[in-house]
Structures are given as C-alpha cells and as structure tokens.
C-alpha cells in the first residue's frame, strides 16, 4: 500500500531514502536543501530504522564519510547545494575511481561562487561532464516533481549498486522547496551483514579465510594497470548509456517544434505548451530524465519530424551542447536561458520560441 | 477546474500555512495541487508569499507569473502582485495592511477586515483562516469537509484541539468578505 502525503521535494527525498533502507546520511547544511538533514534528524532515523544521520564538520568531511560507508557496502548518501557540491567534487572523483555505490543530491542554486539561494540549473556541466578530475561519469537523474524526488531516491540506490557507481539526483531550489502530492513506497529493510557479504563481495568489512584482502582505492602507480582500470570504467559507462536512458515526451506526436528541458524548466515548458497551442503553434516537450546517459538517440530521431528545438534552461546554455551533438546539425537548435536565480515565465518562453525558432 | 492563487503578506501572518491548509484540503478531495513558497531574500526581509494551484488535471508549471486570485495582506504585496492578476480575476485584500487601494478596473476586488475581526475576537492566531474563509465564500473550490481533513493533516496532532477554532474563523471570514469592485 502506497501512502499519500503533501511534502516538500527535500522532505520527500529524505523520507524516501529512509524507506529505501539507507544506512547513513552525512551532510552539512546549505540553503535550499537544509530540509533534507532537518527532516532526517526530526525522524530520529537511528531509532526508526537504525540509519545514521550525521552533520559533519564540513562538506569535505561529509563526502569522505560517504566514501568510507560506501566502501563497507552500505547504502549511504549526502546532499548539498551548488557551492557545497563544489567542495565535494574531489571525494566524488575518488568514489567514482574506486567504483563505489552512493547517492548524491544537489539542490541547485544560482552561481557562480556563493551566488544566490534561488533555483538554477547552472550545475549541468559539473554534474554531467565530471566536476571532479579524471575520466569518470556519474549517473545523473533529473527530477521535475516532488514525486520524482521520492522515486529517484530508491532508483538511485538501485542503479548505484547495479553499476558500482555514484548516482547524482540533480534537482533545484524550486523542486526542493515546493510541496506536491507524493505517493511513498513501503519501508524496505536495510541490508543485513549477511546480505552485504553476499551481494557486495568487494566490501571492506573484514577479511574472511576464503579470500584475499579487499582493497578499495583509486590509486595505481603502474600506468598500464591504470589504463586498464580506465578501460573498465569506460566500458561500464557505455553499458550505462545502452541500458539506462530515461526521458519523457509530452505533446510531441503532432509537434512542429520541440522544447528540450529538464527539472523545473520542463514544468514551466508544459505551461508554455498550453499557451502556444492555444495560439495554434504545435510544440511539444522532450524532457531528459537521465542527463547522463543523455537521450541522444531519441533526440536524433525527432529531427525527422520537428523543424526546430528550443533548449530552455535556467543557465547560460549548458545542456544545449549535448542537444546539438545529438541533433548533428540537422535542425535549428537555440538556447533560451534565465539565470542567477531567475526562473522563466511561461509566456516569455513562447515569445522566445516565436522569435528564435519559428521566425528566426 | 484549475485555480491559480498567490497569497502574499508579512512573515508571521500565516501566509504559508494558509496555503498549506488549502493545498492539503485539495489533496484530501483528490485534486492535483502544488504549493511553491518564496524562500529567498524577500522572506528574510519580512515578506512571504506562496503560489498555490488546485486543479482537476495534472499541474504543469508550479511557478507562475499571473494568477486567477491574489490574496494580499500588505502594501508591498499589493505593489508587487496587483498587476499579476489575470483580467477578470480576483483580488482580495485586508485594508488593515495597505496604504492605498487597488487601482485595477478590469478585475474583481473584495476586501476583508480580517485583522480587525481577529483582534476583536481575541483570535489573532487564526487571522489567516478568516481570510481563507473569505476566499472560499467567493470560490468554493474545496468542500468544507475536506478543509476539515486538510486542517487535520496540516496541523500537528497536539494542535488538533484548535481545529474547531480554525473552522469558526473560516465561517466568520465568509461573512466578512465585502465587494469593492465587481465586474459584470
């Protein structure tokens, strides 16, 4: 039986990680995502499921606690907002290099620097192209509703363990702060020690007589071995690209034009579609749900029908680079962005569509 | 039915909780809802607003730039949102909070002396429910039995003893709402 509640995105995510059987949360407060840790603390997770909720002394400490917990085969996570995520990038690169599963949440605010506390989508590059150093990828899920904030907690852990890779839920201040209806899954049990031994044989939980020491590291000074390790990582990322692409198409069946947008922008575009269609403009929306892997193929296929694409992002134009690569120059692709904490109005998106795509 | 509402006033007037009770009541009546608060600098400067959408259909954007109804509780909010009401829409204000009257002539305008009444009744903490009552009188988008359920869900259990008081305030508000400008 699913349970129906009215919750903020941040709270829904927090409740969902408890229900997904998380073992540990390590974080440091920052607006607009502080409700995640507040909610977990208020829930007394240590009493409810035995889950640890800990406020670390800094973001850097928090991500390294995640590294340690993940190395023990536990379901662990951290959350932050943009400047805090920048601090975590070194640890994320290490975790990706060491091939450990963990869940990350970025409730994005405007930047650069300390920026603003209002919603933004200007961390797309950081999220999908690295962020930290080295050739690694995160699986990036972009929720556009409170329901998806909850759903992607469980899905995130599932994918993280399936691929032994960090999964990032890339949200923003609007999705984090707003309340919507949410259906919550039933409580899943936390892993038992027995399950950890069986399901994650690589975990560093003490040597047993039947195997060698497990070693978790991202370091190998022998370049040949390091190249092989990188090959293995790349093969994994190709597998993820093959299997895990997720997207939603809205009103694309008869569309002459398409918006491409994720998260909050995708919600606003749905209102723009209503406005545009009332004026007789046939426009649809392609909403990437996974930003890595990016839905390249479907976008490429759409070029046989639509005449132009408007990328709507709360940034100066980041996702548009992936859209252009996918479209391979077949049709016109333009960017329409608001940033620094400003959110588009539905009507200005319609105006941009007319000016930049239809009339341009 | 889709009703797009902005509620705006000072922090502490119960703007966000009024929106939450309305939204939760909508959930209980099996409607689609969204509740998008201001959480930024304006809130830290003392003003608060919340966008509430209640609909029979899936809600597209939770963030809007024009509204069917604006419920205005202070002058800053009147300055900010008077021009965001859709033509033919509704503006409700408490005269106690403002220093000039609304100027629009293409929208329906009602006033509600909620602060004064709350003071008279010694019920300043349910001021926001008086205002909500005024709105529900004009636009009964959620049935009263679901408002009751919404109150139960929104208020922590220890405050459930105050539900009758809140409901009384809503009824009081229904009787207080006064037309200022009504379009034909």
């Amino acid at each position: 039986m699913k349970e129906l509640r009215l919750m903020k995105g941040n709270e829904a995510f927090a409740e969902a990680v408890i229900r997904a059987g998380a073992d540990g949360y390590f974080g440091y407060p920052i607006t607009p995502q502080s409700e995640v840790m507040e909610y977990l603390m208020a829930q007394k997770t240590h009493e409810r499921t035995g889950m640890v909720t800990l406020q670390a002394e800094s973001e850097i400490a928090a991500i390294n606690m995640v590294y340690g917990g993940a190395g023990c085969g536990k379901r662990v996570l951290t959350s932050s907002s943009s400047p805090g995520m920048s601090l975590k990038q070194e640890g994320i690169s290490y975790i990706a290099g060491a091939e450990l599963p963990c869940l990350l949440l970025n409730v994005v605010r405007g930047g650069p620097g300390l920026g603003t506390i209002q919603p933004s989508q200007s961390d797309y590059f950081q999220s999908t192209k690295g962020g930290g150093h080295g050739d690694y990828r995160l699986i990036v899920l972009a929720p556009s509703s409170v329901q998806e904030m909850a759903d992607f907690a469980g899905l995130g852990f599932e994918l993280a363990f399936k691929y032994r890779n960090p999964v990032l839920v890339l949200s923003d201040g609007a999705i984090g702060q707003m309340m919507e209806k949410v259906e919550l899954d039933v409580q899943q049990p936390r892993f038992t020690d027995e399950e950890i031994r069986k399901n994650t044989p690589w975990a560093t939980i003490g040597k047993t007589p039947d195997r060698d020491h497990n070693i978790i590291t991202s370091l190998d000074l022998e370049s040949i071995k390091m190249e092989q390790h990188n090959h293995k990582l790349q093969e994994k990322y190709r597998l993820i690209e093959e299997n895990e692409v997720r997207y939603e198409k809205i009103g694309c069946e008869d569309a002459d034009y398409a918006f491409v947008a994720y998260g909050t922008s995708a919600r606003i575009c749905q209102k723009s579609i209503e406005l545009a269609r009332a004026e007789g403009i046939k426009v649809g929306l392609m909403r990437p749900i996974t930003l890595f892997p990016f839905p390249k193929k479907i976008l490429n296929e759409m070029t046989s029908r639509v005449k132009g694409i408007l990328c709507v992002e709360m940034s100066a134009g980041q996702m548009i680079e992936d859209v252009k690569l996918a479209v391979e120059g077949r049709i016109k692709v333009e960017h329409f962005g608001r940033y620094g904490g400003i959110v588009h109005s539905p009507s200005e998106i319609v105006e941009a569509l007319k000016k930049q795509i239809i009339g341009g | 039915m889709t009703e797009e509402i902005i509620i705006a006033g000072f922090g502490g007037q119960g703007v966000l909780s009024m929106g939450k009770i309305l939204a939760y009541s909508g959930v209980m009546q099996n409607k689609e809802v969204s509740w998008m608060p201001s959480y930024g600098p304006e809130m830290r400067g003392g003003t608060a607003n919340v966008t509430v959408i209640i609909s029979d259909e899936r809600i597209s954007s939770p963030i809007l730039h024009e509204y069917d109804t604006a419920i205005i509780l202070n002058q800053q909010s009147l300055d900010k949102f008077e021009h965001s009401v859709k033509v033919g829409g509704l503006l409700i204000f408490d005269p106690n909070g403002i220093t000039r009257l609304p100027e629009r002539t293409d929208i329906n305008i009602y006033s509600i002396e909620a602060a004064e009444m709350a003071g008279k009744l010694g019920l300043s903490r349910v001021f926001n429910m008086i205002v909500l009552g005024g709105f529900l009188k004009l636009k009964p988008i959620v049935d009263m039995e679901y408002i009751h359920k919404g109150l139960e869900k929104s208020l922590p259990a220890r405050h459930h003893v105050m539900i009758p008081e809140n409901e009384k305030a809503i009824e009081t508000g229904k009787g207080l709402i006064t037309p200022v400008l009504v379009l034909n």
Side-chain angles (χ1 to χ4, degrees), chain A residues 85-351:
Chain A
M85 288 311 282
S86 292
L87 285 165
K88 291 181 208 261
Q89 292 305 319
E90 181 197 44
I92 293 170
S93 167
Y94 279 52
I95 295 168
E99 289 197 89
L100 294 178
C102 70
L103 184 59
L104 312 163
L105 168 68
N106 184 359
V107 183
V108 179
R109 55 191 254 179
L114 218 40
T116 169
I117 60 175
Q118 300 288 49
S120 185
Q121 296 180 318
S122 45
D123 297 356
Y124 181 92
F125 284 152
Q126 183 196 59
S127 309
T128 61
K129 313 288 176 197
H133 58 281
D135 270 325
Y136 76 91
R137 296 287 195 164
L138 305 176
I139 298 171
V140 184
L141 302 170
S144 81
S145 64
V146 172
Q147 183 66 52
E148 285 187 339
M149 283 289 273
D151 293 345
F152 291 174
L155 175 65
F157 275 131
E158 190 188 311
L159 294 173
F161 277 84
K162 183 174 175 188
Y163 294 101
R164 283 183 64 181
N165 205 70
V167 172
L168 171 67
V169 176
L170 187 68
S171 184
D172 63 64
I175 305 278
Q177 291 295 324
M178 76 176 177
M179 286 203 284
E180 288 184 312
K181 276 203 291 199
V182 56
E183 276 187 52
L184 294 162
D185 280 328
V186 293
Q187 179 71 48
Q188 298 298 311
R190 292 172 49 229
F191 288 142
T192 61
D193 289 351
E194 192 48 49
E195 284 170 325
I196 291 176
R197 264 191 291 276
K198 192 165 151 261
N199 300 334
T200 51
W202 43 263
T204 47
I205 47 173
K207 187 185 170 315
T208 52
D210 57 323
R211 61 162 172 81
D212 286 340
H213 285 285
N214 280 341
I215 296 171
I216 286 171
T217 181
S218 62
L219 174 76
D220 201 320
L221 293 177
E222 280 187 55
S223 296
I224 293 288
K225 281 196 188 163
M226 189 38 87
E227 189 183 39
Q228 284 166 356
H229 175 59
N230 268 279
H231 278 317
K232 197 179 137 213
L233 290 178
Q234 291 305 316
E235 276 167 29
K236 177 168 82 175
Y237 303 144
R238 296 298 86 76
L239 193 65
I240 291 168
E241 286 185 309
E242 234 166 76
N243 295 338
E244 305 300 343
V245 171
R246 288 167 170 79
Y247 61 88
E248 181 185 23
K249 275 163 69 174
I250 295 173
C252 286
E253 303 75 27
D254 64 341
D256 295 325
Y257 308 98
F259 297 123
V260 179
Y262 67 96
T264 291
S265 301
R267 292 292 294 274
I268 298 167
C269 282
Q270 288 171 51
K271 186 85 182 175
S272 306
I273 290 172
E274 292 168 17
L275 299 177
R277 284 188 175 259
E279 291 182 37
I281 301 169
K282 288 181 185 166
V283 59
L285 167 70
M286 206 292 280
R287 174 172 80 92
I289 294 172
T290 47
L291 301 180
F292 181 85
F294 194 73
K296 291 184 248 186
K297 194 163 153 262
I298 187 72
L299 263 170
N300 195 286
E301 286 165 8
M302 281 172 72
T303 59
S304 62
R305 151 126 224 135
V306 301
K307 297 175 205 149
I309 285 176
L310 186 69
C311 293
V312 181
E313 295 176 73
M314 281 135 60
S315 81
Q318 300 191 13
M319 179 190 62
I320 187 172
E321 294 190 2
D322 285 333
V323 175
K324 280 187 169 172
L325 283 171
V327 164
E328 294 177 315
R330 293 201 177 128
I331 54 171
K332 186 170 189 182
V333 177
E334 286 271 317
H335 166 75
F336 179 54
R338 296 298 305 264
Y339 31 92
I342 300 286
V343 177
H344 303 86
S345 78
S347 54
E348 72 184 355
I349 293 173
V350 177
E351 289 312 307

Side-chain angles (χ1 to χ4, degrees), chain B residues 4 21 34 41 44 46 58 75 83 96 98 101 103 129 134 136 138 141 145 147-148 153 157 163 168 170 173 178:
Chain B
E4 300 171 333
I21 288 163
S34 77
R44 280 151 212 225
R58 173 171 152 160
Q75 186 58 44
H83 295 282
N96 196 49
I98 62 165
L101 287 172
E103 289 155 358
M129 291 297 98
L136 288 171
L138 299 176
I141 52 171
E145 62 174 299
I147 295 280
H148 181 84
K153 283 280 186 177
I163 289 178
K168 200 180 137 213
I170 291 171
T178 309

Side-chain angles (χ1 to χ4, degrees), chain B residues 66-97:
Chain B
E66 51 173 17
Y67 309 92
D68 299 309
T69 298
I71 299 175
I72 300 295
L73 302 176
N74 68 7
Q75 186 58 44
Q76 290 94 320
S77 302
L78 183 65
D79 293 340
K80 190 168 176 186
F81 294 113
E82 179 176 358
H83 295 282
S84 310
V85 180
K86 291 178 196 170
V87 172
L90 170 65
L91 188 151
I92 296 173
F93 68 96
D94 184 334
N96 196 49

Side-chain angles (χ1 to χ4, degrees), chain B residues 4-175:
Chain B
E4 300 171 333
I5 307 158
I6 179 93
I7 309 171
F10 286 119
Q13 282 181 313
V15 164
L16 299 187
S17 63
M18 189 196 320
K20 187 176 172 183
I21 288 163
L22 186 58
Y24 233 132
S25 306
V27 172
M28 302 320 290
Q29 201 170 335
N30 202 25
K31 295 190 181 290
E32 297 301 319
V33 306
S34 77
W35 176 96
M36 179 73 219
S38 60
Y39 66 91
E42 65 268 49
M43 197 156 151
R44 280 151 212 225
T47 67
N49 68 69
V50 61
T51 302
V52 177
I53 306 173
I54 299 189
S55 179
D56 294 322
E57 284 146 48
R58 173 171 152 160
I59 291 167
S60 51
S61 175
I63 299 170
L64 300 169
H65 292 71
E66 51 173 17
Y67 309 92
D68 299 309
T69 298
I71 299 175
I72 300 295
L73 302 176
N74 68 7
Q75 186 58 44
Q76 290 94 320
S77 302
L78 183 65
D79 293 340
K80 190 168 176 186
F81 294 113
E82 179 176 358
H83 295 282
S84 310
V85 180
K86 291 178 196 170
V87 172
L90 170 65
L91 188 151
I92 296 173
F93 68 96
D94 184 334
N96 196 49
I98 62 165
T99 53
R100 67 156 178 88
L101 287 172
E103 289 155 358
R104 294 269 299 264
T105 53
D106 57 351
I107 57 174
N108 296 291
I109 301 175
Y110 285 75
S111 78
I112 184 161
E113 293 271 8
E116 191 188 85
M117 178 56 80
K120 255 188 222 163
L121 296 172
L123 293 174
S124 58
R125 64 187 170 187
V126 292
F127 157 72
N128 60 345
M129 291 297 98
I130 298 176
V131 178
L132 180 62
F135 167 72
L136 288 171
K137 168 81 179 173
L138 299 176
K139 292 199 173 177
I141 52 171
V142 188
D143 301 339
M144 278 311 289
E145 62 174 299
Y146 296 104
I147 295 280
H148 181 84
K149 289 181 182 167
L151 282 163
E152 277 180 349
K153 283 280 186 177
S154 313
L155 297 173
R158 66 179 189 281
H159 290 155
H160 280 187
V161 290
M162 296 182 344
I163 289 178
E165 187 178 305
N166 278 274
E167 287 176 318
K168 200 180 137 213
I170 291 171
E171 291 306 322
T172 305
K174 286 183 181 175

